Amino acid sequence: MSVPLRQLVIRIAGNIDQTVTLTNPVTTIGRTPDNDISLPNPIISRRHAEIRIGPDGVTLIDLGSDFGTYLNDQPIPAEQPYRLTPGTEFVIGPYVLTYREVAAGESAEVVASEDTDGFEAPETVVESPAVAQAARVPIALRPPRENEPVPPPPTNASSYIQMLPAPFQENDFLQRFLLIFETIWEPLEQRQDAIEMYFDPKTCPVSFLPWLASWIDMPLDDLWTEDRLRRVLGEATELYRWQGTRYGLERMLEVQAGVHARVIEHADQPYVVEIAISIPEGNPVDLDDIREIIETHKPAHVGYMLNVESS
């Protein structure tokens, strides 16, 4: 019995972006180019999901992604395999992926994305379940400590009095005396309980951002907005990893300048690349700033041509 040809048809905004034939036992899906299927969108995790082919068939597994993998408008549990059958559709970010099987002998037309060497203008807002979920995800705060003292009643008594032996708990002087130390120590204990938030660019105080940047020798501009500072620092490790590559330059322009960029290489000009950027309406961008980003992060021996389009 012949084995059918297994394929994934990937659509975005209703248009086919690519069709991928599944030949490996494990196919990885994620944002970065080192995945078998690369879906370049900020809300997609670096390692988002896997498709595995085994004796029991084809299964989809979410790898604990930030915004989930959706099936029938519901996120599938992380690290739990879900069986794929022909015609099954699932959503990752703004992409809709359809699993299909082509029987041996039939025409297996591979639909490629149109004009892959040209510039793709950014899509308008795609209201997928994952995007809607991303907008609703709050910052997770720490759970209460198991041994955390019960908040004191609205009196002048300190909650620390409850930690003393019973004969001392009725002493009015001790109740008020311990309140002095509680007033000093409690804010420090609360800060220590949430210390990890001070080392996260998304949740730390604004004054901590230059300090975090100094850890990785990341140059910052005094004119950058707070949102831009947090975006750059949040992805600094991954941006450094891809520095000097086409994906790294495209991602750096997206994170730092807020523009969609495509780096196009031409075979007849091996040391010159074309950089096409699309500036969204109502989002003024300083071209000198964009050129500075390109000069800083492109390979030193490579020249470039900058094309600017409005979307």
Side-chain angles (χ1 to χ4, degrees):
M1 182 177 179
S2 60
V3 178
L5 188 66
R6 304 179 177 95
Q7 293 182 335
L8 273 185
V9 179
I10 304 171
R11 293 180 173 85
I12 183 169
N15 300 317
I16 294 180
D17 180 66
Q18 55 182 308
T19 299
V20 180
T21 301
L22 305 176
T23 56
N24 299 326
V26 178
T27 301
T28 60
I29 303 174
R31 183 177 70 238
T32 56
D34 54 349
N35 290 278
D36 298 313
I37 300 177
S38 177
L39 304 177
N41 189 278
I43 71 170
I44 296 176
S45 299
R46 188 169 64 88
R47 286 287 186 273
H48 198 102
E50 284 182 353
I51 294 180
R52 299 180 183 178
I53 301 176
D56 297 331
V58 182
T59 56
L60 168 68
I61 301 177
D62 183 271
L63 301 178
S65 59
D66 292 335
F67 298 118
T69 302
Y70 282 73
L71 185 71
N72 298 326
D73 294 337
Q74 296 296 326
I76 64 175
E79 305 296 343
Q80 298 294 322
Y82 182 86
R83 179 76 177 273
L84 293 180
T85 57
T88 301
E89 288 189 351
F90 56 96
V91 175
I92 296 180
Y95 294 89
V96 178
L97 297 87
T98 304
Y99 173 73
R100 71 180 184 184
E101 295 181 356
V102 180
E106 294 184 9
S107 174
E109 180 183 1
V110 178
V111 183
S113 58
E114 297 181 359
D115 194 18
T116 54
D117 290 333
F119 172 71
E120 294 179 0
E123 309 83 38
T124 54
V125 177
V126 180
E127 202 59 33
S128 71
V131 175
Q133 177 70 9
R136 296 194 298 267
V137 174
I139 297 176
L141 301 178
R142 69 167 182 89
R145 295 173 297 173
E146 294 182 358
N147 60 345
E148 193 167 10
V150 178
T155 66
N156 292 330
S158 170
S159 62
Y160 288 1
I161 200 70
Q162 303 173 18
M163 304 177 188
L164 296 179
F168 297 96
Q169 294 186 12
E170 302 298 328
N171 189 301
D172 180 68
F173 171 76
L174 278 179
Q175 292 178 0
R176 291 181 285 109
F177 181 70
L178 292 177
L179 192 60
I180 299 174
F181 301 97
E182 182 178 0
T183 304
I184 298 173
W185 289 339
E186 277 300 302
L188 299 179
E189 290 184 10
Q190 293 174 9
R191 180 180 300 177
Q192 183 177 358
D193 289 339
I195 193 65
E196 70 278 359
M197 299 180 71
Y198 287 84
F199 301 106
D200 189 335
K202 297 189 294 292
T203 56
C204 74
V206 178
S207 59
F208 275 52
L209 292 173
W211 176 63
L212 289 179
S214 68
W215 287 19
I216 54 176
D217 196 26
M218 169 70 77
L220 301 179
D221 193 317
D222 294 337
L223 300 179
W224 287 1
T225 64
E226 178 185 342
D227 179 64
R228 182 172 175 180
L229 286 172
R230 294 186 187 276
R231 284 203 318 268
V232 172
L233 287 178
E235 299 201 34
T237 303
E238 185 175 334
L239 290 173
Y240 274 152
R241 178 186 175 207
W242 293 98
Q243 193 168 25
T245 66
R246 182 172 70 174
Y247 171 79
L249 182 55
E250 290 173 348
R251 186 69 182 139
M252 184 64 74
L253 286 168
E254 184 176 359
V255 172
Q256 285 202 20
V259 298
H260 295 267
R262 177 171 290 274
V263 178
I264 306 169
E265 301 176 81
H266 300 282
D268 57 339
Q269 295 179 305
Y271 300 109
V272 178
V273 296
E274 178 184 353
I275 302 176
I277 65 172
S278 178
I279 302 177
E281 294 184 3
N283 181 24
V285 175
D286 188 350
L287 291 182
D288 291 335
D289 190 18
I290 289 179
R291 291 189 179 93
E292 182 180 351
I293 295 172
I294 296 173
E295 292 287 349
T296 302
H297 297 283
K298 73 174 181 63
H301 67 285
V302 175
Y304 70 93
M305 299 179 293
L306 182 62
N307 294 331
V308 181
E309 301 177 2
S310 298
S311 60

